[in-house]
DNA sequence: ATCTGATCATTG
DNA sequence: CAATGATCAGAT
């Protein structure tokens, strides 16, 4: 971010991302003069931050797209050598309050997922971080069908939150989206409302895309390209 | 505490 | 061995 030029167009961003395909994280980190961790135990977001920097993301930790002028969100996705996602994909924190009048259309998550540059990284744990290879990036926007599914899941999960049932939500709710803890630890607390409309403190949650869904995206783009 | 970036690690 | 709950670092 400090020395990398911000991409001026979507085409430039994609070109820059495609230029990374086939490179190892070690090669990219050396180029950026970033120290490579032995594992990701203590730096779980390291790969994402590395790619943000080399691609010129400018949003920092602000709650806006990584490339605000392009409306593009950057997401790295760990895959195995066959292209299978190794983890669910965190999207954003789930609001547990202030949901009166909330709609899918005006939701933070809808905005975040409107245009995503996916950068797969072959990231099996047995492969040293420095030797992990960047795959072929692809730009994705939800199809009508995909957005329908996202909106449906968002509505179901949001309805439960509004009804004070956030603590009854489990990973199986939602077809492609799920709600799970997203916090520093299990002691973290944020405000929510119970069934009687009374405030109480609960674990912060986030929206995640299930691996079956991201697998479909990868399959589709690998087939077309 | 809350948001960004996510993956770890225990469990079923 | 996938899935769900737990966790780590940094900026604000």
């Amino acid at each position: 971010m400090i020395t990398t030029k911000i991409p001026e167009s979507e085409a430039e961003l994609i070109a820059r991302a495609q230029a990374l395909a086939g490179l190892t994280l070690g090669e990219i980190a050396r180029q950026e003069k970033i120290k490579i961790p032995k594992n990701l135990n203590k730096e779980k977001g390291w790969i994402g931050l590395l790619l943000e920097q080399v691609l010129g993301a400018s949003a920092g930790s602000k709650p806006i797209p990584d490339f605000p002028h392009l409306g593009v969100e950057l997401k790295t996705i760990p895959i195995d050598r066959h292209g299978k996602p190794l983890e669910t994909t965190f999207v954003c924190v789930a609001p547990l309050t202030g949901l009166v009048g909330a709609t899918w259309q005006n939701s933070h998550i809808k905005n975040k997922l409107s245009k995503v540059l996916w950068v797969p990284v072959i990231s099996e744990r047995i492969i040293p971080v420095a030797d992990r290879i960047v795959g072929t990036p692809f730009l994705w926007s939800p199809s009508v069908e995909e957005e329908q599914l996202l909106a449906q899941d968002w509505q179901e999960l949001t309805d439960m939150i509004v009804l004070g049932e956030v603590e009854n939500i489990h990973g199986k709710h939602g077809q492609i989206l799920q709600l799970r803890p997203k916090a520093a630890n299990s002691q973290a607390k944020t405000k929510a409302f119970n069934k009687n409309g009374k405030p109480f403190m609960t674990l912060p949650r986030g929206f995640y895309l299930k691996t079956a869904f991201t697998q479909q995206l990868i399959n589709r783009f690998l087939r077309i390209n």
Side-chain angles (χ1 to χ4, degrees), chain A residues 8 19 28-29 48 54 65 73 91 110 112 121 143 149 161 215:
Chain A
E8 291 177 7
I28 296 169
V54 71
E73 173 73 14
V91 182
K110 193 256 185 187
K112 271 233 167 190
V121 177
S143 66
L149 284 173
I161 293 169
Q215 173 77 82

Side-chain angles (χ1 to χ4, degrees), chain A residues 151-161 169 172-175:
Chain A
Q152 232 173 62
D153 285 352
W154 176 88
Q155 191 66 58
E156 176 189 352
L157 295 167
T158 297
D159 284 349
M160 289 187 73
I161 293 169
I169 298 175
K172 288 186 177 172
H173 288 98
Q175 299 180 62

Side-chain angles (χ1 to χ4, degrees), chain A residues 13-28:
Chain A
L13 173 59
I14 293 169
R16 197 182 288 184
Q18 284 178 341
L20 299 176
L23 297 183
T24 65
L25 298 182
E27 290 169 330
I28 296 169

